[in-house]
Structure formats: C-alpha cells, structure tokens
C-alpha cells in the first residue's frame, strides 16, 4: 500500500476513534487500548500486538465473526490482546463442508478462544442463486451479520469485530442504533492481506484457501455473476488491500470455477 494512502486512512481512523470516545462510545480502558494499537501503526511500530500491561479484569467481552480465514483469524489474534473474545461462526452446509467446520474448531482451540457455531438458513439464497436471480455474496453476508448481531444483543455484548478490509477511516468503527460497536479490525489498522498473513505467521498459523465457497461456485454457472465476483476482487486491488498478483490469481480461480 502506498505510504501516503496508509497515512491518510490511519489518521482518519484516529479522528473517528477520538470522536466516538468523546461521544461516550468506549470506556476509557478500551479506548486507550485501541488508541495504542493505532498509535503504533501510525508510528510504524511492529510489536506483534503484545500488551503486557493489559489484564483480564480490564478487558471487555467482544465477539469476532470468525470464518477461519486469514482476515478474521488475524483480527482474532489482535483483538484477543484487548478483549475477552468469543468466536462466532455462522454455519450452513450450503457454504461450509464438515471438514471446514472441524478445521475452524481446531483453529479456535489453537487461538485459545471460546467458540460457537450459529446455524443460519441460506435456503432462499441458494434457491435464488441456482436460478440466476442474484449474486449470493451480499445476501449471504447480510444473513451472517444478522445472526452475529442477534447473538450480541441476546448476550448483552457491546463489541463485534469483523475482518473487513474495505471499510476504511471513519467507517472502520461504527456504532449502530442498538449501541453495538462494530470494529473492522484490518480496516481500522489499515492492514493489507499480506500483513495479516505475517501476523498469523508470527503466531505459527498458516491458512491456505481457494477463493470463494461452494455457493459462489454455483452462482458462476451464470456468466454475469462471474463479472460481479471479479468486480469485488478488483475493488480490493484498487483499495490496495491485496496486491495485483493476488488479485490476478483470484480472478483466474474465478474463471476456472
């Protein structure tokens, strides 16, 4: 990522964090811990996100929307230094194989986090996908977010952490109408996909996966859906959160689906 773009995004994220704190969104400890994270990124300090002075009795509880992919796992590594984490995986056999479920459970154990699967209903999304009515990603994402949000509300948990990379600056942390605070951790810290992989490598975690899921593959029976998927990849390349080589490889995988 170009250094100037990174600087602008980080400063914008800092301004947003300070404004949210002044509005009463964060308790002081959570605010200071997040601010320290961001200060280190702005100053180019890589300390492997270790904070020896943060104790469990000052940590708030946070949910991580945990898919077991690079972004959500790196977000979990970072967030577990600042929060007491509950990993929540939205599960449907339409998008996840039993082996994936087992691998996610093993990864959660390695990360030493509490973890739960939430069953979600994607039958209508599947039906419309195989009929060529919709590209599935947006509706699937909405279903997953709704399930995670409902869990937070039912369990009185204020913070939800996602691995989104594109919601930069003032959109990297938002407070919704239910006063739930959404933190898009890679966006907040302006992390690229390769930087997230480096964080995992330092924690002896290697995640290798193909682009997309089985539902996305079904949607590519219709060429217009391939176009929409490729547009999503190019958006990540333009935002410089993945490099051109990875973008090309992802596009080639899409064309081969």
């Amino acid at each position: 990522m170009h250094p100037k773009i990174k600087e602008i995004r980080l400063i914008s994220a800092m301004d947003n964090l300070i404004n949210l704190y002044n509005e009463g969104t964060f308790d002081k400890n959570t605010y200071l811990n997040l601010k320290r994270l961001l200060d280190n990124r702005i100053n180019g300090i890589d300390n492997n996100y270790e904070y020896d002075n943060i104790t469990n009795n000052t940590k708030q509880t946070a949910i991580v929307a945990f898919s077991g992919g690079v972004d959500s796992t790196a977000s979990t590594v970072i967030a577990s230094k600042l929060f007491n984490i509950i990993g929540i995986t939205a599960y449907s056999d339409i998008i996840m194989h039993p082996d994936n479920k087992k691998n996610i459970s093993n990864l959660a154990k390695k990360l030493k986090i509490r973890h739960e699967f939430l069953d979600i209903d994607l039958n209508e999304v599947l039906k419309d996908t195989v009929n060529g009515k919709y590209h599935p990603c947006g509706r699937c994402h909405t279903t997953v977010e709704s399930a995670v949000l409902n869990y937070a509300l039912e369990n009185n948990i204020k913070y939800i952490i996602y691995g989104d990379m594109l919601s930069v600056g003032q959109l990297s942390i938002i407070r919704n109408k239910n006063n739930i605070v959404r933190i898009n951790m890679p966006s907040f810290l302006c992390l690229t996909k390769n930087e997230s992989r480096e964080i995992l490598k330092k924690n002896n975690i290697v995640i290798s996966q193909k682009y997309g899921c089985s539902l996305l593959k079904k949607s590519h029976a219709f060429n217009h859906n391939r176009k929409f998927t490729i547009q999503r990849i190019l958006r990540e390349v333009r935002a410089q959160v993945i490099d051109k080589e990875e973008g090309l490889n992802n596009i080639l995988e899409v064309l081969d689906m």
Side-chain angles (χ1 to χ4, degrees), residues 88 90 118-120 142-152 154:
I88 297 295
L118 291 182
D119 290 330
I120 56 173
T142 298
T143 303
V144 170
E145 288 194 345
S146 294
V148 174
L149 177 60
N150 287 337
Y151 183 96
E154 290 169 3

Side-chain angles (χ1 to χ4, degrees), residues 112-149:
K112 298 179 180 178
I113 61 168
R114 175 181 161 191
H115 178 256
E116 296 182 35
F117 287 99
L118 291 182
D119 290 330
I120 56 173
D121 184 359
L122 291 176
N123 287 308
E124 283 299 314
V125 178
L126 173 63
K127 177 182 175 182
D128 290 339
T129 297
V130 298
N131 289 329
K133 190 174 181 180
Y134 295 111
H135 189 280
C137 288
R139 297 178 73 202
C140 180
H141 191 64
T142 298
T143 303
V144 170
E145 288 194 345
S146 294
V148 174
L149 177 60

Side-chain angles (χ1 to χ4, degrees), residues 33-218:
N33 292 338
L34 287 167
K35 186 175 183 296
R36 184 176 177 184
L37 266 182
L38 206 51
D39 277 332
N40 285 351
R41 281 291 285 173
I42 290 171
N43 294 319
I45 298 171
D46 179 9
N47 61 357
N48 202 25
Y49 306 97
E50 294 289 351
Y51 296 113
D52 295 332
N53 64 329
I54 297 174
T55 59
N56 286 335
N57 61 7
T58 65
K59 290 182 179 180
Q60 299 290 317
T61 298
I63 292 169
V64 173
F66 188 66
S67 69
V70 169
D71 304 317
S72 69
T73 306
S75 296
T76 302
V77 170
I78 297 168
S80 63
K81 311 299 182 181
L82 312 180
F83 297 93
N84 293 315
I85 295 299
I86 304 173
I88 297 295
T89 303
Y91 177 79
S92 166
D93 58 10
I94 290 171
I95 57 173
M96 193 177 295
H97 298 296
D99 284 347
N100 299 135
K101 195 172 184 179
K102 181 179 178 181
N103 291 339
I104 289 171
S105 293
N106 290 337
L107 184 55
K109 289 178 183 176
K110 185 170 185 177
L111 292 167
K112 298 179 180 178
I113 61 168
R114 175 181 161 191
H115 178 256
E116 296 182 35
F117 287 99
L118 291 182
D119 290 330
I120 56 173
D121 184 359
L122 291 176
N123 287 308
E124 283 299 314
V125 178
L126 173 63
K127 177 182 175 182
D128 290 339
T129 297
V130 298
N131 289 329
K133 190 174 181 180
Y134 295 111
H135 189 280
C137 288
R139 297 178 73 202
C140 180
H141 191 64
T142 298
T143 303
V144 170
E145 288 194 345
S146 294
V148 174
L149 177 60
N150 287 337
Y151 183 96
L153 291 171
E154 290 169 3
N155 291 276
N156 197 30
I157 297 171
K158 183 176 180 179
Y159 299 100
I160 303 177
I161 295 167
Y162 287 92
D164 292 4
M165 296 187 295
L166 292 176
S167 303
V168 297
Q170 293 192 353
L171 295 177
S172 61
I173 300 181
I174 58 174
R175 182 178 61 185
N176 70 17
K177 62 183 180 181
N178 298 301
N179 287 321
I180 300 293
V181 180
R182 173 189 179 127
I183 303 173
N184 296 326
M185 190 63 77
S187 303
F188 176 63
L189 297 174
C190 207
L191 292 171
T192 66
K193 180 81 78 170
N194 284 334
E195 285 178 313
S196 291
R197 291 190 180 103
E198 284 299 312
I199 291 169
L200 299 186
K201 185 178 178 181
K202 290 176 181 178
N203 287 271
N204 300 311
I205 298 171
V206 176
I207 296 174
S208 179
Q209 55 191 172
K210 289 184 176 291
Y211 187 86
C213 68
S214 55
L215 180 60
L216 185 64
K217 186 174 182 178
K218 286 183 174 67

